[in-house]
Protein backbone atom coordinates (compact mmCIF):
# COMPACT_ATOMS: atom_id res chain seq x y z
CA UNK A 1 0.00 0.00 0.00
CA UNK A 2 1.56 3.27 -1.08
CA UNK A 3 0.44 6.34 0.89
CA UNK A 4 2.22 8.65 -1.53
CA UNK A 5 -0.61 8.01 -3.97
CA UNK A 6 -2.84 10.08 -1.69
CA UNK A 7 -0.54 12.97 -0.88
CA UNK A 8 3.00 14.12 -1.30
CA UNK A 9 5.24 13.73 1.75
CA UNK A 10 5.93 17.44 2.00
CA UNK A 11 2.41 18.60 1.08
CA UNK A 12 2.17 21.85 3.05
CA UNK A 13 -1.38 21.31 4.36
CA UNK A 14 -0.80 17.72 5.47
CA UNK A 15 2.61 18.43 6.99
CA UNK A 16 1.46 21.60 8.78
CA UNK A 17 -1.43 19.93 10.64
CA UNK A 18 1.03 17.69 12.47
CA UNK A 19 2.33 20.65 14.46
CA UNK A 20 -1.04 21.32 16.14
CA UNK A 21 -2.69 19.86 19.24
CA UNK A 22 -6.20 18.75 18.30
CA UNK A 23 -9.24 18.61 20.59
CA UNK A 24 -9.27 14.81 20.28
CA UNK A 25 -5.99 14.67 22.25
CA UNK A 26 -7.66 16.37 25.19
CA UNK A 27 -10.61 13.97 24.96
CA UNK A 28 -8.22 11.01 25.13
CA UNK A 29 -6.48 12.55 28.14
CA UNK A 30 -9.86 12.93 29.90
CA UNK A 31 -10.64 9.27 29.14
CA UNK A 32 -7.24 8.21 30.50
CA UNK A 33 -7.99 10.07 33.74
CA UNK A 34 -11.46 8.52 33.92
CA UNK A 35 -12.85 5.31 32.52
CA UNK A 36 -9.60 4.15 30.85
CA UNK A 37 -7.47 4.72 33.94
CA UNK A 38 -5.36 1.66 34.62
CA UNK A 39 -6.54 -0.25 31.53
CA UNK A 40 -3.56 0.56 29.25
CA UNK A 41 -0.75 -0.82 31.41
CA UNK A 42 1.15 -3.33 29.28
CA UNK A 43 -1.08 -2.83 26.22
CA UNK A 44 0.22 -1.85 22.79
CA UNK A 45 -0.95 1.43 21.26
CA UNK A 46 -0.47 2.54 17.65
CA UNK A 47 -1.13 6.23 17.04
CA UNK A 48 -1.54 7.09 13.36
CA UNK A 49 -0.91 10.73 12.46
CA UNK A 50 0.49 11.49 15.92
CA UNK A 51 1.28 15.14 15.30
CA UNK A 52 2.77 16.44 18.52
CA UNK A 53 2.45 12.99 20.10
CA UNK A 54 0.43 14.26 23.07
CA UNK A 55 -2.17 11.48 23.09
CA UNK A 56 0.40 8.73 22.59
CA UNK A 57 2.72 10.14 25.25
CA UNK A 58 -0.19 10.19 27.70
CA UNK A 59 -0.90 6.54 26.83
CA UNK A 60 2.76 5.78 27.55
CA UNK A 61 2.48 7.59 30.88
CA UNK A 62 -0.51 5.32 31.61
CA UNK A 63 1.74 2.28 31.07
CA UNK A 64 1.22 1.40 27.39
CA UNK A 65 3.90 0.50 24.83
CA UNK A 66 3.35 3.15 22.14
CA UNK A 67 4.29 3.52 18.47
CA UNK A 68 3.79 7.09 17.22
CA UNK A 69 3.62 7.60 13.44
CA UNK A 70 3.38 10.58 11.12
CA UNK A 71 5.04 12.07 8.06
CA UNK A 72 8.85 12.15 8.24
CA UNK A 73 8.87 15.95 8.48
CA UNK A 74 6.51 15.85 11.49
CA UNK A 75 8.42 13.01 13.19
CA UNK A 76 11.71 14.85 12.76
CA UNK A 77 10.26 18.31 13.47
CA UNK A 78 8.22 17.69 16.59
CA UNK A 79 7.55 14.08 17.66
CA UNK A 80 11.19 13.07 18.19
CA UNK A 81 11.76 16.09 20.44
CA UNK A 82 8.58 15.55 22.44
CA UNK A 83 9.29 11.84 22.89
CA UNK A 84 12.87 12.51 23.98
CA UNK A 85 11.73 15.22 26.41
CA UNK A 86 9.08 13.04 28.04
CA UNK A 87 9.93 9.37 27.69
CA UNK A 88 13.33 9.08 29.37
CA UNK A 89 11.84 9.91 32.76
CA UNK A 90 8.78 7.70 32.18
CA UNK A 91 10.85 4.68 31.12
CA UNK A 92 12.99 5.01 34.24
CA UNK A 93 9.85 4.72 36.36
CA UNK A 94 8.14 1.85 34.50
CA UNK A 95 8.50 -0.83 31.87
CA UNK A 96 6.92 1.11 28.99
CA UNK A 97 8.34 1.91 25.58
CA UNK A 98 7.65 4.61 23.04
CA UNK A 99 8.92 4.65 19.45
CA UNK A 100 8.43 7.23 16.71
CA UNK A 101 8.25 6.13 13.08
CA UNK A 102 7.55 8.00 9.85
CA UNK A 103 4.29 6.81 8.28
CA UNK A 104 6.08 6.58 4.94
CA UNK A 105 8.88 4.42 6.35
CA UNK A 106 11.59 3.48 3.92
CA UNK A 107 15.31 2.85 3.95
CA UNK A 108 15.73 6.63 4.05
CA UNK A 109 13.37 7.00 7.04
CA UNK A 110 13.39 3.74 9.08
CA UNK A 111 11.69 3.29 12.45
CA UNK A 112 13.87 4.58 15.26
CA UNK A 113 14.02 4.98 19.00
CA UNK A 114 13.92 8.51 20.43
CA UNK A 115 17.23 10.29 20.31
CA UNK A 116 18.73 8.06 17.63
CA UNK A 117 20.55 9.77 14.79
CA UNK A 118 19.49 7.43 12.00
Amino acid sequence: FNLSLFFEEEDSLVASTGFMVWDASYTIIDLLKGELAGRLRGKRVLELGSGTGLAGLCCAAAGAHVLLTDLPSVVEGVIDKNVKSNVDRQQQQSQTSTTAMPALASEQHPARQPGSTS
Side-chain angles (χ1 to χ4, degrees):
F1 189 73
N2 186 349
L3 291 176
S4 64
L5 296 175
F6 295 102
F7 55 83
E8 292 296 321
E9 177 181 330
E10 296 304 321
D11 183 309
S12 61
L13 176 62
V14 174
S16 68
T17 61
F19 295 87
M20 300 170 60
V21 176
W22 294 88
D23 290 341
S25 291
Y26 297 112
T27 302
I28 290 171
I29 293 167
D30 288 341
L31 287 169
L32 288 171
K33 292 189 292 186
E35 60 191 76
L36 291 180
R39 291 186 171 178
L40 288 181
R41 182 157 307 286
K43 303 291 185 191
R44 294 179 187 198
V45 173
L46 169 62
E47 185 178 7
L48 302 173
S50 302
T52 62
L54 178 60
L57 288 168
C58 289
C59 290
H65 301 279
V66 180
L67 174 60
L68 305 170
T69 66
D70 213 309
L71 294 171
S73 60
V74 177
V75 170
E76 294 164 4
V78 70
I79 295 176
D80 277 347
K81 293 172 188 164
N82 288 345
V83 168
K84 184 68 176 153
S85 296
N86 290 280
V87 172
D88 287 344
R89 181 173 10 117
Q90 182 63 31
Q91 287 180 345
Q92 290 172 1
Q93 297 172 356
S94 67
Q95 296 298 317
T96 64
S97 62
T98 306
T99 302
M101 183 179 97
L104 301 174
S106 66
E107 289 180 18
Q108 182 182 5
H109 297 285
R112 60 189 179 274
Q113 292 295 323
S116 69
T117 57
S118 58

